[in-house]
Amino acid sequence: MRLANRIEKLPPYLFVEINKKIAAKRAQGVDVVSFGIGDPDIPTPAHILDRLNEASRVPANHRYPESDGLPEFRKAIAGWYHRRFGVTLDPDTEVLPLIGAKEGIAHMSLCFIDPGDVALVPDPGYPVYSVGTLFAGGESHWMPLLEENGWLPDLDAIPEDVARKAKILWINYPNNPTGAVADLAFFDKVAAYAKRYDIAVCHDAPYTEIAFDGCRPPSFLQAAGAMDVGVEFHSLSKSYNMTGWRVGMAVGNATMINALMRVKSNLDSGVPQAIQLAAIEALTGPQDCIEKNVAHYQRRRDKLVAALTRLGLRVLPPKASLYLWARVPEGFTSAEFAAKLIDEAAVVVTPGSGYGRYGEGYVRLSLTLPDQDLDKGVERLAALHLADR
Ligand SMILES: *Cc1c(COP(=O)(O)O)cnc(C)c1O
């Protein structure tokens, strides 16, 4: 058998060593507390599940959905964007349902990247931006996200020849893994930059609703000229605890939305209709479930920040997202520190180096574990003694 080069070229899975350690611990019967994955532990709200149950019994929903989704789902998405961000979208040309944002993100590269083309990709970042680029035959030009820049890419640091060549630019705020929030002024800058160099902007925004201390993260589409140059990916996964149902959306520039629809209609058959109907219920029904979730996450955030600070890690409470991004103590790499926490406390954190070169020196902790597990993790961290202290 001869696999395609794109498979051989996939970056090595950086969590192999950590996963081996977790498996070994569990095999010994140790109860491991994991701050690893960002996947809400709280169930999907009951009113959304009721709608899904009901819709699952209607035979029309057992058939292939349309690639571009139900018109009423596209309308519900446009309505939500208008209520939440004041952004006006044409449901027929500027909205596209996705089988989760990840699916659309991966496919968008096929719309813009030919072999040899360049994508501007944040480092550290969600791996799908660069893997999608790789699968389309393109190359990622990494934009470092640095603490001193508030984890925003420095567009002026991108060499002129790279900017001229680049076809697509990926950004993600509230950010995974750093928890950073971008303001509208930054999005204005991105839109102007994209216009100047004729680059398509893709803003990945699944965490806008998971925000703390009264913070209301903006949409990229609120920026001046954004609709001319870009789209935004959003998702029901994090806002409504629906990761397992696989439903999200791309919204924004009609040319980009149409290209994505054409790729998708050749490769997949859309979001199952019962799930689209449940998603309409999520977007148009009562929204107090989001506030309740956020209150849980905020309490967890505060407990965990306190525990990590006592341990000597430098960490700021994030204004949004499901993650803490903590600086590892002097003398450790990300992977070494993560290994130490597993070995000595049976606590799993994600080494920042797994998100890119510039993630080295940090670890990511997710807030999506039940309170009793989080409390157990916090106790174990409190009992830990770092060798160099
Ligand atoms: C969770 C996540 C997604 C994926 O969302 P789905 O709709 O579940 O596919 C996309 N981007 C980032 C940065 C995420 O953390």
Side-chain angles (χ1 to χ4, degrees):
M1 239 176 272
R2 289 165 304 148
L3 293 175
N5 285 336
R6 70 177 63 83
I7 304 292
E8 311 289 355
K9 277 202 272 184
L10 274 172
Y13 189 57
L14 277 151
F15 306 127
V16 180
E17 284 305 311
I18 298 276
N19 283 347
K20 267 193 217 151
K21 280 185 184 293
I22 298 171
K25 282 272 176 195
R26 290 205 164 127
Q28 292 162 22
V30 177
D31 144 48
V32 175
V33 172
S34 178
F35 293 97
I37 325 166
D39 185 354
D41 58 299
I42 307 164
T44 307
H47 67 284
I48 300 171
L49 292 175
D50 289 345
R51 184 70 187 105
L52 180 61
N53 273 329
E54 186 193 343
S56 74
R57 294 198 169 76
V58 177
N61 297 331
H62 302 172
R63 311 191 68 193
Y64 284 122
E66 296 288 341
S67 292
D68 55 353
L70 291 166
E72 54 269 43
F73 183 29
R74 296 198 306 269
K75 263 189 211 126
I77 293 168
W80 184 81
Y81 253 80
H82 192 258
R83 287 192 299 282
R84 170 63 177 89
F85 299 114
V87 168
T88 305
L89 297 165
D90 178 343
D92 293 330
T93 59
E94 296 172 334
V95 174
L96 183 63
L98 300 172
I99 312 168
K102 185 179 188 177
E103 174 264 297
I105 291 166
H107 283 145
M108 191 53 113
S109 289
L110 296 178
C111 302
F112 283 93
I113 300 295
D114 284 316
D117 281 349
V118 172
L120 302 173
V121 179
D123 174 358
Y126 187 62
V128 188
Y129 318 135
S130 56
V131 171
T133 305
L134 173 75
F135 280 174
E139 276 166 39
S140 294
H141 175 87
W142 302 104
M143 302 182 292
L145 305 188
L146 305 176
E147 191 163 0
E148 70 242 38
N149 297 331
W151 311 108
L152 303 175
D154 179 2
L155 300 177
D156 300 326
I158 299 167
E160 181 75 19
D161 59 319
V162 174
R164 284 188 194 287
K165 205 173 169 209
K167 295 186 77 179
I168 193 167
L169 183 157
W170 291 95
I171 46 173
N172 161 224
Y173 295 94
N175 185 255
N176 177 7
T178 67
V181 176
D183 61 10
L184 209 45
F186 170 73
F187 289 152
D188 283 339
K189 239 194 254 175
V190 169
Y193 182 86
K195 197 170 187 104
R196 180 159 156 225
Y197 290 103
D198 192 20
I199 298 173
V201 176
C202 291
H203 181 227
D204 182 19
Y207 297 105
T208 61
E209 305 317 288
I210 315 296
F212 312 117
D213 311 322
C215 171
R216 296 288 275 166
S219 162
F220 171 67
L221 299 180
Q222 290 171 263
M227 288 294 287
D228 299 332
V229 295
V231 296
E232 184 157 276
F233 292 92
H234 214 297
S235 172
L236 282 80
S237 287
K238 315 307 183 346
S239 314
Y240 301 100
N241 309 327
M242 288 177 70
T243 47
W245 301 114
R246 313 307 305 131
V247 59
M249 58 272 209
V251 296
N253 181 272
T255 305
M256 294 176 72
I257 293 292
N258 181 257
L260 184 56
M261 207 277 282
R262 282 156 63 198
V263 166
K264 278 173 54 58
S265 63
N266 281 283
L267 294 177
D268 68 54
S269 299
V271 180
Q273 235 160 244
I275 292 175
Q276 294 187 55
L277 293 163
I280 295 174
E281 177 62 30
L283 294 175
T284 59
Q287 301 295 304
D288 53 326
C289 50
I290 295 182
E291 238 169 88
K292 278 186 209 149
N293 283 346
V294 168
H296 279 295
Y297 295 136
Q298 187 165 324
R299 229 177 322 105
R300 294 173 182 176
R301 176 197 71 166
D302 293 342
K303 276 189 199 172
L304 200 51
V305 165
L308 293 172
T309 304
R310 277 196 300 272
L311 197 58
L313 276 71
R314 194 154 54 73
V315 57
L316 290 174
K319 288 266 178 263
S321 87
L322 294 171
Y323 310 107
L324 301 191
W325 185 240
R327 180 92 200 155
V328 303
E330 273 319 309
F332 292 95
T333 66
S334 299
E336 286 166 358
F337 188 67
K340 183 181 173 72
L341 291 187
I342 299 180
D343 288 339
E344 294 174 21
V347 164
V348 176
V349 301
T350 313
S353 49
Y355 300 95
R357 227 181 102 201
Y358 288 90
E360 181 52 75
Y362 296 86
V363 288
R364 193 193 79 168
L365 290 91
S366 159
L367 302 174
T368 54
L369 69 179
D371 289 318
Q372 66 270 24
D373 293 348
L374 184 123
D375 289 342
K376 203 190 294 168
V378 162
E379 269 169 41
R380 290 183 190 175
L381 291 174
L384 195 70
H385 295 283
L386 295 181
D388 60 342
R389 293 175 70 230

